Amino acid sequence: MKIITVEASRKYHIMIERGLLSDCGNIVSGLVKKPCRIMLVSDTNVYPLYGEKAVASLTNKGFDVNTYIFPAGESSKNVTTLAGLWEELAEKHFTRSDMIVALGGGVVGDLAGFAAATFLRSIQYIQIPTSLLAMVDSSVGGKTAIDLKGGKNLAGSFYQPSAVICDPDTLQTLPREIYSDGMAEVIKYGMINKPELLQILKGTYDDADVIEICVCAKRDIVNEDEKDLGVRQFLNFGHTLAHGIERASDYKIPHGRAVAVGMVLITKAAIKAGLCTEDALQILEELLVKNNLPLWTDITAQELCDAALNDKKRKGDYITVVLPTGVGKSTLQKISIFQLNELIKGVWTE
Ligand code: GLY
C-alpha cells in the first residue's frame, strides 16, 4: 500500500491501493475510539456501485452505519442538500465522537466535508474518493464547500479529513468522459512544476502510480500553504478561466473540460505576452487531445471576462493568476482585472 502523509493543521494519511474499499472498516477502526457512529454520505451514482461494500466492511468492524444519499451531480452541491444532511445528523443524535464518511467524487467529498466542519462545530470525516478528480485533487487538502447561486464553492471552509482511503479499482466503473475530466487535473500538476509527469502521461502508465505522483505533489503544497495564501495558488492553473467557462455555460461544461480550455487559453496568453515558450502549449494540447479533452470553447471573450469578475480569488481589482513559463514550469502573477480582460481578449483576436 502507498501511504502519503499530510502534515497540515491535522496530520493524516492518504492510503492508495487496489481493493482498499473492502478494507475501509479495518482502517477506520484503527483511527477512532469506539463507540463511533458513522454517517456514510454518497450519491445516487456511487452508492449503488460501492455503498454495500463500504457499509459491509464498516458494520463488520462493529460500526453503526447510517446513510445519506443525494442525487448525483454538481446541482446537488447546495445549501438544501447540506441542510438535509445537518438535519439527518441531528435527528439521528450524532455527537462529536461520531463521524462522516464521504464515498464518492468531488461533489460528495466537498459537501460531506463541509457538513463535518460545521455540524456541532466539527466532527471527524474520512474521504473515500471514487473519481479520478477526487483522488488526485479534491479529497486531499481539506477544501470543503458548497455552491451558491452566485458561484461555485462560495461557502466553505478549510477542514482536513482524518484519512483518505483511495481504491483505484473504483475507476473501472467511471464513465470515460468523467475519467477524462480528472485527467485535466492530472495534466495540471505536470504543467505547474512536474515535467517528468508530462513525459509519463505521453506513454502508458498505471493509474495508481499517477495518482501517487499527483497526491505527493498536492501534499507538498498543502503542507507548505494549507490556507491558500501562497504556493497553493499554483493549483489554480487554468482555474480562473475555467470557473468563468463553467459559470458562463450554466455549469453544463464540466469542471475538467473547463480546466482543459482554461489551461490552453492562459498558456496562449502567456506565450503572446512573451512569458512562455511555445513547446509548453504543444505538450499541453497533445496530452489534452490524447485524453479527449477540449482545447477551445464557444463562449465569447466578453462572457468569460464578466464571469471572471466573480472569481472568489479576486482581491479588490486584482487577481493572482498562474502563468506557465515553459514545459513543467509556471509562476504566480498578480494582475489587475483590466489586465486579465486584456489577456482574455488578446487570445480571442489571434
Ligand atoms: N483544488 C485546489 C486546491 O485544493 O487548492
Side-chain angles (χ1 to χ4, degrees):
M1 174 163 50
K2 302 172 199 294
I3 300 183
I4 299 152
T5 304
V6 175
E7 295 195 50
S9 51
R10 188 197 293 270
K11 182 175 170 180
Y12 59 96
H13 301 310
I14 297 149
M15 290 151 265
I16 308 170
E17 189 171 67
R18 294 191 183 280
L20 208 53
L21 182 61
S22 311
D23 205 29
C24 66
N26 202 20
I27 296 170
V28 178
S29 234
L31 288 169
V32 296
K33 280 203 194 85
K34 286 187 190 147
C36 167
R37 300 171 66 216
I38 289 177
M39 180 64 77
L40 183 104
V41 180
S42 193
D43 69 25
T44 48
N45 283 346
V46 174
Y47 191 80
L49 294 169
Y50 302 113
E52 218 172 275
K53 200 183 257 186
V55 172
S57 178
L58 292 161
T59 46
N60 279 344
K61 284 287 159 186
F63 289 105
D64 167 16
V65 184
N66 293 261
T67 55
Y68 183 77
I69 318 296
F70 60 82
E74 186 73 30
S75 59
S76 285
K77 202 172 120 180
N78 59 31
V79 73
T80 309
T81 314
L82 175 67
L85 176 51
W86 280 331
E87 293 295 353
E88 188 70 13
L89 290 162
E91 214 168 280
K92 297 274 161 59
H93 307 292
F94 267 62
T95 70
R96 283 190 176 153
S97 57
D98 299 326
M99 76 160 17
I100 290 177
V101 171
L103 174 73
V107 169
V108 169
D110 284 7
L111 184 133
F114 192 36
T118 45
F119 183 70
L120 302 181
R121 300 204 175 91
S122 80
I123 64 172
Q124 292 188 75
Y125 75 113
I126 284 179
Q127 294 273 16
I128 309 186
T130 58
S131 72
L132 182 61
L133 192 143
M135 288 178 191
V136 299
D137 184 31
S138 59
S139 69
V140 178
K143 276 192 181 174
T144 73
I146 56 162
D147 303 334
L148 300 181
K149 288 200 183 72
K152 257 182 84 125
N153 297 332
L154 288 189
S157 71
F158 292 96
Y159 184 58
Q160 302 295 336
S162 297
V164 181
I165 299 171
C166 175
D167 177 354
D169 275 352
T170 59
L171 297 178
Q172 280 165 14
T173 50
L174 204 63
R176 288 319 292 174
E177 65 277 12
I178 300 185
Y179 179 88
S180 292
D181 243 30
M183 281 307 296
E185 296 286 357
V186 171
I187 295 166
K188 177 192 80 177
Y189 285 106
M191 290 296 292
I192 297 168
N193 66 358
K194 294 256 165 303
E196 65 282 10
L197 175 59
L198 297 173
Q199 288 312 318
I200 291 170
L201 296 178
K202 280 176 151 188
T204 49
Y205 50 84
D206 183 341
D207 281 335
D209 294 334
V210 162
I211 293 166
E212 183 186 12
I213 294 170
C214 297
V215 168
C216 284
K218 184 146 187 191
R219 179 265 324 266
D220 292 345
I221 285 175
V222 171
N223 281 356
E224 190 176 334
D225 175 29
E226 180 178 0
K227 294 281 169 70
D228 218 356
L229 300 168
V231 291
R232 190 162 182 168
Q233 293 174 56
F234 276 102
L235 297 176
N236 294 331
F237 175 51
H239 279 56
T240 296
L241 299 182
H243 287 158
I245 293 166
E246 286 177 274
R247 198 176 146 82
S249 76
D250 212 7
Y251 298 99
K252 286 188 185 71
I253 298 178
H255 182 65
R257 284 178 158 57
V259 169
V261 175
M263 291 192 291
V264 171
L265 293 178
I266 203 73
T267 303
K268 284 186 173 173
I271 291 171
K272 206 162 183 191
L275 298 167
C276 181
T277 52
E278 294 266 358
D279 49 357
L281 180 63
Q282 207 180 322
I283 191 162
L284 172 64
E285 292 193 330
E286 185 187 323
L287 291 176
L288 294 176
V289 169
K290 183 178 177 214
N291 288 285
N292 303 313
L293 287 160
L295 308 179
W296 187 250
T297 173
D298 288 336
I299 289 160
T300 64
Q302 192 52 53
E303 279 176 306
L304 201 49
C305 292
D306 293 346
L309 277 180
N310 285 306
D311 196 295
K312 67 180 175 309
K313 295 178 290 295
R314 179 179 161 194
K315 294 193 179 105
D317 285 336
Y318 288 85
I319 189 157
T320 300
V321 290
V322 187
L323 294 176
T325 53
V327 175
K329 286 191 287 188
S330 61
T331 182
L332 289 178
Q333 202 147 325
K334 188 173 167 186
I335 61 173
S336 68
I337 293 297
F338 175 76
Q339 284 171 306
L340 178 66
N341 286 351
E342 292 302 296
L343 278 179
I344 295 171
K345 285 178 183 152
V347 176
W348 256 260
T349 54
E350 264 183 344

